[in-house]
Structure formats: C-alpha cells, structure tokens
C-alpha cells in the first residue's frame, strides 16, 4: 500500500514538473488588439492587384478617439492584411469590421466579388458588415479628417444603417451581396458614397451587372425599385405638374391673374407601400404585371387648387398615379435595354418556368418582356393646407 502511494506521488510530481516546463503563450488583451473597423479597396492600374486601406480606432482619454490608418498593395485582401500586421504595433483583427468601401474604378474595371468573397470566407468577419461604393478613392475617404463628426468607424457604420430617409438604396451587407451575386433572378445594387468637404453623403445607388458596376440609379429611381422589391416604407417624393387649365377659378386668391398662377408641386410622405410582381408565364410573349399600392400624406403643396374640393383633389391624385406609372415604365425600359434587373423581375418568370433555370434563361425572358404597371395611390391626409 505504501509503495502504491509513493508511486502515485511520483507520477503527480512528474506531471506538475512537465506542466511547469511547457511553453507559455500569452493571449493578447483587448488593449493589445488593433480592431479594424473600416477596410477599403482601390484600383492600382493592375487588375491582378488591389490596394487595401484600413482604419483602426484607438481608445483615447480625449473627447475624440484617435484613428490610425494603414495601406498595402497585394493580389488578395488576406495577403494584404498579413503585410499590414507588420506595420502596426498591435495585433490586427477583423472581428470588429463594420464597413467595406470599394472605389468606383475598381468596381467597374475589376469587379468586387474577389475581395468580397475573400472576406466572406474569413470566419472572423461578421455577416452584417455593410458594403458601399465610393466616388474617387476609398483611401481618401478613410484617411480624411472629419471635423465635428464621430470617429470614422462609428460615423460610416451609422451612415449606412437603413433609414427611411435613405431607403432609396438597398443597404447591402456582405451576406446580402453574396446572396444577390449567386441569385439567378436579378442584379445587385448598393449605396454610392461621395465625399463633400467634411461630410460623406449617400448620393445615388450603384447599379451592377453581376459583380461589375455599370451605372447609377437616381434617388428617385431607387425609390421606385424599392417599392417593386416590397419595401413598406419609402422616403418622401416630390412631384411637379404644370398648371391645369381652369385651376385659377378655384384658387385661394380669386383675382390672381394667369401669369401669377403657380405650377403645382406636391410633396408626399409615404406611410405604407406594397409592390406585387407577377408574370403571365408565356415564353413567346412574356408580360410582367406590376401592382404598386401606396398610402401617403401631403406634407407640401404649391398650386392654385383647393385640396378641400373633392373634384380637384381626385384629379391631383390621378395625376400623381399617372406620373408614377410613367416614370416606372420608362425606368424599366432603360433597365431592359441595359440588360440589368435590379428589381428582380426575373423571379416572376422563374416561378412559372418548367425546366432548368439559370441567369441566361432569365435574361432571355426579361429582355423581350412587356410591362404592365398599375399604380393605386391613397392620400389619407393633407393637414390644413389649401
């Protein structure tokens, strides 16, 4: 028994000695980590290379946080991060990445799938990282000094969050883009940023064919696309109409002359919207039926009509419906000629198609389809305006 106890004690002592001799690797604390918040990609002139810029917030006791930025050139983003790690005094990490910026030139000449997929495969990168296209160089946006703004990583992260005021754009996360890239029924679109003085603004919508940028959507076109995609809340829209004949007889000031009559401008605040897209399923004469239902309040009006007058109010409502229909059809025809489908209308053909489906089949139907647009506008209030 005594021998057995001594034997066990020797084994325990050996185990303790071995543990004590094992090499010790300290895991870096949070203060020792360089958390990349924004990463940008620029064109170098060589389609096989990419210029990578990163922004890293540094905690500070001052009122504003300090931001460090680094730049490197390599063939792929992951390789650039290896080189960037040797420049910083701390260990770099993508675990807090929030925004990906890609220059317009790189998006047009190279395409963005290579850099996006390289980040998407990294398990450290979250799925809700926002992606946006930048006019000019992404490096300039990252290294700029923004007075009276939060730290850059916080500023851009909040700027790209979906809001009603900027709902004309699909605020695309890295997960959303990968889905749209692999989808066989449409093309991606994402915010287009411009730097103006000390501000960055979401000015337009970048329009893509697969992973290459080919043009823009205006804010107004973006609102109509979002309506067809089923967005329930849309930003405000303004409508201009020439003065209708006979409007002066109902003007607030009855003695107003024809020369003094105002052209009508109506500003609508949408409280609800619904878009439904269906196709007839025909392979020889494809037709897309689009139903847009909207409810709105009039928040601004300049004109000579009295909105209390039922006949004039109904005429104005029908005029708004006609204007939305006219603009929607013209926009869809432009998309059709360019061979792009940001509203994902091809999905309506896929639902009724029998056989193997791919993007080639979808574009075949889309490029010869007709469009039937029906707009139903309900104006639920107009305040105390006349």
């Amino acid at each position: 028994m005594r021998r057995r106890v001594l034997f066990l004690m020797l084994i325990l002592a050996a185990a303790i000695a071995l543990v004590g001799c094992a090499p010790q690797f300290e895991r870096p604390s949070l203060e020792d980590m360089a958390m990349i918040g924004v990463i940008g990609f620029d064109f170098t002139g060589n389609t096989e290379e990419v210029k990578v810029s990163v922004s890293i917030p540094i905690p500070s006791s001052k009122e504003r946080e300090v931001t460090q930025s680094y730049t490197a050139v390599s063939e792929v983003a992951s390789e650039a991060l290896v080189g960037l790690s040797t420049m910083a005094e701390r260990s770099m990490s993508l675990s807090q990445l929030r925004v990906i910026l890609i220059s317009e030139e790189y998006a047009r000449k190279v395409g963005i799938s290579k850099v996006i997929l390289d980040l998407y495969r990294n398990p450290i990168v979250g799925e809700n990282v926002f992606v946006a296209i930048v006019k000019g160089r992404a490096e300039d946006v990252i290294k700029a000094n923004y007075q009276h703004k939060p730290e850059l990583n916080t500023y851009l992260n909040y700027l790209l969050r979906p809001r009603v005021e900027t709902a004309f754009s699909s605020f695309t996360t890295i997960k959303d883009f990968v889905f749209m890239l692999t989808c066989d029924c449409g093309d991606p679109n994402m915010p287009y940023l411009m730097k103006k003085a000390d501000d960055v603004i979401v000015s337009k919508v970048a329009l893509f064919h697969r992973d290459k940028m080919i043009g823009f959507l205006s804010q107004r076109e973006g609102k109509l696309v979002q309506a067809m995609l089923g967005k329930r809340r849309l930003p405000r829209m303004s409508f201009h109409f020439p003065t209708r004949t006979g409007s002066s007889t109902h003007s607030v000031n009855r003695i107003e002359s024809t020369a003094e009559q105002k052209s009508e401008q109506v500003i609508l605040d949408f409280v609800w919207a619904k878009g439904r897209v269906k196709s007839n399923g025909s392979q020889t004469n494809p037709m897309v039926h689009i139903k847009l239902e909207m409810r709105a309040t009039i928040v601004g009006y300049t004109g000579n009509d009295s909105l209390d007058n039922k006949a004039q109010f109904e005429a104005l409502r029908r005029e708004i419906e006609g204007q939305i229909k006219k603009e929607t059809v013209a926009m869809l025809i432009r998309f059709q000629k360019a061979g792009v489908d940001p509203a994902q209308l091809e999905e309506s053909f896929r639902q009724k198609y029998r056989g193997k489906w791919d993007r080639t089949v979808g574009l075949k139907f889309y490029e010869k389809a007709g469009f039937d647009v029906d707009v139903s506008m309900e104006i639920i209030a107009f305040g105390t305006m006349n």
Side-chain angles (χ1 to χ4, degrees):
M1 183 68 183
R2 185 176 297 177
R3 290 182 179 180
R4 183 179 298 177
V5 172
L6 290 173
F7 180 71
L8 292 175
M9 291 180 64
L10 287 173
I11 293 177
L12 181 61
I16 293 174
L18 288 173
V19 170
C21 296
Q24 299 294 319
F25 295 97
E26 293 185 3
R27 299 186 65 180
S29 62
L30 186 61
E31 292 77 10
D32 297 327
M33 297 292 292
M35 300 293 187
I36 298 173
V38 179
I39 188 170
F41 300 96
D42 288 307
F43 186 61
T44 64
N46 183 353
T47 57
E48 300 299 323
E49 292 181 340
V50 61
K51 187 175 186 180
V52 182
S53 303
V54 297
S55 172
I56 301 171
I58 307 298
S60 174
S61 58
K62 300 179 181 179
E63 293 184 1
R64 291 193 61 190
E65 291 184 346
V66 180
T67 301
Q68 291 181 339
S69 57
Y70 300 92
T71 303
V73 177
S74 67
E75 293 186 359
V76 292
S78 54
E79 180 185 354
L81 292 173
V82 175
L84 290 170
S85 298
T86 62
M87 302 179 189
E89 72 281 5
R90 297 176 298 157
S91 301
M92 284 194 181
S93 173
L94 288 170
S95 60
Q96 294 299 313
L97 182 64
R98 292 293 178 264
V99 177
I100 301 171
L101 301 178
I102 303 173
S103 70
E104 178 183 348
E105 186 178 21
Y106 189 86
R108 286 183 181 272
K109 295 181 178 179
V110 181
I112 69 176
S113 61
K114 182 178 179 180
V115 294
I116 293 295
L117 292 176
D118 187 56
L119 291 173
Y120 188 70
R121 295 188 188 102
N122 191 330
I124 298 178
V125 178
E127 295 181 341
N128 295 321
V129 179
F130 291 111
V131 186
I133 303 300
V134 175
K135 181 179 181 180
R137 298 192 307 171
E139 180 184 7
D140 295 338
V141 174
I142 290 176
K143 292 186 176 182
N145 184 21
Y146 300 96
Q147 297 293 334
H148 311 296
K149 292 290 188 299
E151 182 271 327
L152 176 67
N153 303 272
T154 303
Y155 176 39
L156 293 182
N157 185 36
Y158 279 103
L159 180 68
L160 292 174
R161 288 183 179 274
R163 292 174 287 130
V164 174
E165 295 80 6
T166 54
F168 53 82
S169 174
S170 294
F171 284 88
T172 308
T173 64
I174 189 171
K175 180 181 178 181
D176 295 331
F177 177 78
V178 172
F179 171 78
M180 290 186 287
L181 184 66
T182 56
C183 172
D184 288 327
C185 297
D187 293 292
N189 67 87
M190 61 182 62
Y192 182 82
L193 306 183
M194 294 178 61
K195 184 181 180 302
K196 285 191 173 182
D198 292 334
D199 295 306
V200 177
I201 62 173
V202 184
S203 62
K204 304 175 185 177
V205 183
L207 182 61
F208 283 76
H209 178 65
R210 305 314 293 165
D211 76 323
K212 283 193 175 183
M213 180 178 170
I214 64 167
F216 301 99
L217 297 176
S218 67
Q219 292 187 12
R220 195 175 185 87
E221 289 175 329
K223 295 171 187 177
L224 297 175
V225 167
Q226 293 304 312
M228 286 184 280
L229 288 172
K231 183 76 73 175
R232 292 301 178 99
R233 287 298 305 273
L234 300 175
R236 290 182 177 182
M237 291 183 68
S238 176
F239 298 86
H240 293 263
F241 306 106
T243 303
R244 293 194 296 273
T245 304
S247 294
S248 61
T249 59
H250 301 285
S251 63
V252 177
N253 186 357
R254 297 300 181 106
I255 63 175
E256 189 175 35
S257 66
T258 303
E260 294 172 333
Q261 292 178 18
K262 304 174 183 177
S263 62
E264 284 185 301
Q265 179 183 9
V266 184
I267 302 175
L268 296 182
D269 188 2
F270 292 96
V271 297
W272 179 85
K274 182 178 181 180
R276 290 181 292 179
V277 179
K278 296 182 180 180
S279 70
N280 58 2
S282 172
Q283 298 188 21
T284 56
N285 187 26
M287 177 68 67
V288 180
H289 303 277
I290 301 170
K291 174 71 174 179
L292 298 179
E293 300 177 67
M294 302 174 176
R295 292 177 193 155
T297 61
I298 297 179
V299 295
Y301 175 74
T302 59
N304 301 292
D305 288 347
S306 172
L307 300 182
D308 289 325
N309 185 291
K310 185 176 181 180
Q312 295 182 36
F313 183 75
E314 283 298 308
L316 179 63
R317 185 186 63 80
R318 290 193 298 270
E319 205 162 9
I320 293 173
E321 289 179 344
Q323 183 67 26
I324 294 176
K325 177 178 179 178
K326 179 181 177 182
E327 292 183 22
T328 302
V329 172
M331 178 186 68
L332 291 175
I333 292 175
R334 182 170 75 86
F335 292 162
Q336 190 180 48
K337 291 180 179 179
V340 294
D341 181 17
Q344 299 179 10
L345 302 184
E346 295 166 59
E347 173 64 20
S348 62
F349 293 114
R350 189 199 64 79
Q351 293 173 355
K352 297 184 178 181
Y353 182 76
R354 295 183 178 181
K356 185 178 180 180
W357 179 272
D358 56 28
R359 190 66 199 283
T360 304
V361 176
L363 286 174
K364 181 180 178 181
F365 287 120
Y366 178 68
E367 290 173 353
K368 62 180 181 180
F371 303 110
D372 175 32
V373 179
D374 181 23
V375 180
S376 176
M377 170 66 68
E378 180 183 358
I379 299 177
I380 59 177
F382 55 85
T384 59
M385 296 177 295
N386 289 322

